[in-house]
Amino acid sequence: LAMAGKKATIAYDGGMDLPAEAPSGKADSFQVTGDPRKETSAPGSYLKMTTSRANFRAVGWTDDDFEKPMITIGVPFSNTMPCNNRFRELADVIADEVEKAGGKAHIAMTPVISDGITNGSKPMRYSLVSRDYIADCLEIMHGGYAADAMITLGGCDKSVPAVVQVLARMDIPGISLFGGPALPGKCTDKITLTDRGLDPGQVMEAIGAYSAGIIDVEELYRIECTALPGSGTCSAMFTACTMASAVEALGIVLPGTASHPAVDESNKINVQKYEDCRASVRALFGLIKRKQTARSIITRKAIENAVTVIYALGGSTNAVLHILAIAHEAGVPFTIHEFGDIGSRVPLIGNLSPHGTYHMADLDTLGGVQAVMKELLEAGMIHGDCMTVTGKTVAENLAEIPSLKDRPAQDILYPLAKPLSPAGNHMLILSGNLAPESAVLKLSGKVYDRFTGPAVCFDDEDLAFKAIVDGKVKKGCVLVIRYEGPKGSPGMPEMLSPGAALVGAGLGKDVALVTDGRFSGASHGIMIGHVSPEAAAGGPIALVEDGDMVTIDARNKGLSVDVSDEVLAARREKYSPPDKLAGKRGAVLQKYVKMVHSAHVGATTY
């Protein structure tokens, strides 16, 4: 055989003398490139996979490339949303570094949904759906090419857990990298609504403030135009930055990278983020060399570390869903009530929006999540013996990080000895006759024991939002929004629009919102979400009627409706859930309804 004037050096009959495992880390990809060590008749032999190599040659591969490990680069990308719109450029940097390190880059793009763009609209039903779909897409692209390892990029809310879920699911050498938070917005003109840096939370609250006559249309427009100055995820401790912090605590990303901003003041990619890409590739090849796979990192102890960091920073309630899903993918038994038990011991020390003053870029000036973990480690609140992608333990990674007590005075990160708020005042996992399985209450440092009020019920988010902006929701009531759960909506959209409208209208402390939907990380006020079982599954929330007295008992972690079991049983006989997909085109949501499990277990799909 002759090709381009060069004699073939590979023995098609299985005569090539290679070690049992290629020194470069190539293993699984021999299935598609052909293994020259195998006999001709064996599955995956060099002869049998000749056509496969011909296809690879068509895209530029050469003889040497067939001896290299294939590295999947997982890239949830869209050019129309700020969280992930620079990922194509980052993927190119990663691909170049993979090639320099002796691998073959296999770029796998996936869909990605923007929570910020879809919030308050029906398209948001696709947001949570996209989490497991992204993981599925990457499984398909990795398994379908029998690649050897994976590096993933995470950005907007659901993409951060999704690209870690697939690593845990497949238990492969893998590492993730957060694309980075945006910088907070600035407005040179006076803003009535806030005196701090702007973020998407203020945009949503401005809608309610305008509707209530608190701000005028000019201020609303100024906020719209300045709150998001450039690429990157939401700049505050909303869901994206919460999960970025959590996966750094898990040990599946390089220490310090979660807080590095996506761009600089001129909206050019932050040079540090380019270095994060290159360093992550080097770390991945270290994992390959050590034969270290994702499940050796994502352990029970690592998950406990992640939960502890989430509570310390005042993270998003969406983290409950996502941590449960990651644990499920890693084969680690872990329940929502265990999540709450761990968190109940953790004081709130991050003074970050939406409950505080600062943003993720400010935390980065202290060393980011590593500064938080150092404070927690010194107090014995996280496990220092967990292995990470560096090949070192958490404690070893933190050894050179300055202690909080040795730093100059600042108010971004509080010491555990004098926290922003004591333990038990962030997220609580509730249960009761209104939520027999569970519900999630977000306090974000606020202290209150009990709220009781008459229910005002809506079977759709849009109807509730209209009632708020029309001034029909009064102080003292409990706003119940149902049929917005994983199956009911479907897709469990965020109730940020009605929640922010309440806060913007000055009702955040006087009206509770109870829903089987979920909330944005930007949400604050008296917000209870994830009520399970959901209304569409016949949960008691479907049986509540206007005027029923609903009690939120934070002290005893209870959520109840003052209606007897007999009355609820009588109402159940008349129960008939609405079909929100009736007459709608499309198959994805129809399939999701059949597959998705309760929010109680993370809204997983298998």
Side-chain angles (χ1 to χ4, degrees):
L1 176 72
M3 184 184 69
K6 184 174 74 171
K7 293 288 185 181
T9 57
I10 299 295
Y12 279 78
D13 60 0
M16 188 171 184
D17 186 18
L18 289 178
E21 182 172 340
S24 63
K26 185 179 179 71
D28 288 348
S29 60
F30 275 124
Q31 296 177 64
V32 290
T33 62
D35 190 339
R37 296 164 298 183
K38 290 188 173 183
E39 295 294 330
T40 301
S41 59
S45 71
Y46 204 74
L47 177 63
K48 185 176 183 182
M49 302 313 298
T50 300
T51 303
S52 173
R53 291 191 304 281
N55 278 269
F56 282 122
R57 292 184 192 279
V59 297
W61 286 37
T62 65
D63 282 352
D64 290 342
D65 293 330
F66 299 124
E67 299 177 18
K68 299 174 181 177
M70 192 188 307
I71 310 299
T72 301
I73 305 171
V75 191
F77 171 76
S78 172
N79 66 324
T80 54
M81 49 98 84
C83 304
N84 297 46
N85 74 317
R86 311 304 284 270
F87 278 17
R88 189 161 59 183
E89 297 162 80
L90 297 183
D92 286 341
V93 173
I94 291 171
D96 288 345
E97 195 67 20
V98 166
E99 298 282 342
K100 290 176 184 177
K104 291 302 297 178
H106 167 50
I107 297 177
M109 298 281 192
T110 79
V112 62
I113 300 297
S114 166
D115 282 38
I117 289 172
T118 60
N119 224 309
S121 70
K122 295 305 180 189
M124 201 193 197
R125 295 184 298 183
Y126 287 94
S127 174
L128 185 58
V129 176
S130 74
R131 183 194 69 185
D132 291 61
Y133 191 75
I134 290 168
D136 291 347
C137 286
L138 291 177
E139 178 188 341
I140 289 168
M141 289 298 291
H142 187 82
Y145 287 81
D148 298 292
M150 188 186 299
I151 180 170
T152 61
L153 290 168
C156 196
D157 297 8
K158 307 310 166 291
S159 66
V160 182
V163 298
V164 172
Q165 284 176 232
V166 69
L167 301 179
R169 178 189 299 181
M170 304 193 78
D171 194 24
I172 52 178
I175 190 171
S176 193
L177 172 64
F178 185 51
L183 297 173
K186 298 177 182 178
C187 186
T188 55
D189 297 320
K190 179 175 172 55
I191 296 289
T192 305
L193 202 58
T194 182
D195 59 358
R196 68 191 190 199
L198 295 173
D199 56 52
Q202 277 92 44
V203 182
M204 297 300 295
E205 289 171 18
I207 298 169
Y210 172 72
S211 300
I214 297 172
I215 64 173
D216 58 23
V217 69
E218 286 81 10
E219 180 163 338
L220 177 63
Y221 183 67
R222 288 199 301 273
I223 292 172
E224 175 188 335
C225 293
T226 58
L228 282 75
S231 295
T233 69
C234 293
S235 53
M237 192 50 62
F238 302 162
T239 305
C241 286
T242 296
M243 288 311 301
S245 303
V247 297
E248 183 168 323
L250 278 176
I252 202 70
V253 306
L254 283 179
T257 57
S259 59
H260 294 156
V263 296
D264 59 22
E265 295 281 355
S266 63
N267 202 26
K268 294 181 179 178
I269 292 179
N270 183 0
V271 293
Q272 179 63 60
K273 195 51 65 177
Y274 286 133
E275 177 52 34
D276 291 346
C277 291
R278 291 187 282 266
S280 295
V281 172
R282 293 193 292 271
L284 177 64
F285 274 82
L287 291 168
I288 294 170
K289 184 177 181 179
R290 295 191 299 273
K291 301 180 184 179
Q292 187 176 1
T293 61
R295 290 193 182 187
S296 69
I297 295 170
I298 305 174
T299 62
R300 168 72 189 220
K301 285 184 175 181
I303 289 167
E304 291 179 359
N305 285 353
V307 174
T308 301
V309 166
I310 289 165
Y311 273 80
L313 288 172
S316 166
T317 54
N318 284 314
V320 179
L321 292 171
H322 302 327
I323 291 296
L324 291 176
I326 291 170
H328 171 70
E329 300 281 13
V332 176
F334 192 71
T335 71
I336 191 170
H337 294 291
E338 290 175 306
F339 186 108
D341 289 345
I342 293 165
S344 68
R345 302 189 289 268
V346 184
L348 175 59
I349 61 174
N351 184 17
L352 303 170
S353 175
H355 58 270
T357 304
Y358 296 100
H359 293 81
M360 194 68 162
D362 299 306
L363 182 63
D364 189 58
T365 65
L366 301 179
V369 178
Q370 294 298 285
V372 182
M373 294 180 70
K374 180 76 170 190
E375 179 72 1
L376 294 168
L377 180 68
E378 290 182 337
M381 298 190 74
I382 59 173
H383 305 287
D385 57 347
C386 293
M387 188 56 64
T388 72
V389 291
T390 64
K392 299 178 180 179
T393 64
V394 166
E396 289 170 332
N397 289 338
L398 295 173
E400 302 301 319
I401 302 296
S403 298
L404 209 55
K405 64 180 183 294
D406 298 329
R407 297 173 182 267
Q410 48 79 36
D411 62 345
I412 301 168
L413 190 62
Y414 283 53
L416 286 165
K418 295 182 179 180
L420 187 65
S421 186
N425 289 323
H426 179 42
M427 274 188 279
L428 300 178
I429 307 303
L430 311 180
S431 60
N433 74 339
L434 189 50
E437 291 180 338
S438 59
V440 181
L441 165 63
K442 184 178 181 182
L443 293 171
S444 297
K446 297 182 295 295
V447 179
Y448 78 89
D449 290 338
R450 190 179 182 91
F451 187 101
T452 298
V456 181
C457 303
F458 297 93
D459 291 351
D460 185 89
E461 172 197 359
D462 293 340
L463 297 174
F465 179 79
K466 186 177 188 304
I468 296 166
V469 298
D470 288 347
K472 295 180 180 180
V473 175
K474 306 301 181 183
K475 289 184 178 181
C477 72
V478 176
L479 191 64
V480 177
I481 306 177
R482 59 197 175 194
Y483 297 105
E484 296 291 2
K487 291 182 181 292
S489 190
M492 201 181 182
E494 292 177 350
M495 299 295 107
L496 175 58
S497 288
L502 286 173
V503 173
L507 296 172
K509 297 179 180 179
D510 302 301
V511 175
L513 198 166
V514 175
T515 180
D516 53 6
R518 57 191 177 88
F519 292 107
S520 165
S523 299
H524 59 109
I526 308 171
M527 306 288 171
I528 299 89
H530 307 211
V531 173
S532 302
E534 62 174 293
I541 191 173
L543 309 178
V544 179
E545 296 182 356
D546 288 350
D548 290 347
M549 297 304 291
V550 174
T551 296
I552 302 139
D553 185 353
R555 180 179 293 274
N556 296 303
K557 300 180 183 178
L559 179 63
S560 61
V561 58
D562 189 15
V563 177
S564 69
D565 292 344
E566 292 77 14
V567 171
L568 290 176
R571 291 178 184 178
R572 186 175 297 282
E573 291 181 3
K574 302 175 184 178
Y575 164 74
S576 179
D579 183 359
K580 292 194 173 184
L581 293 180
K584 304 293 184 183
R585 293 191 296 268
V588 171
L589 295 179
Q590 300 279 4
K591 289 190 285 187
Y592 187 75
V593 170
K594 295 178 181 179
M595 293 188 299
V596 70
H597 298 289
S598 170
H600 181 68
V601 295
T604 51
T605 53
Y606 77 99

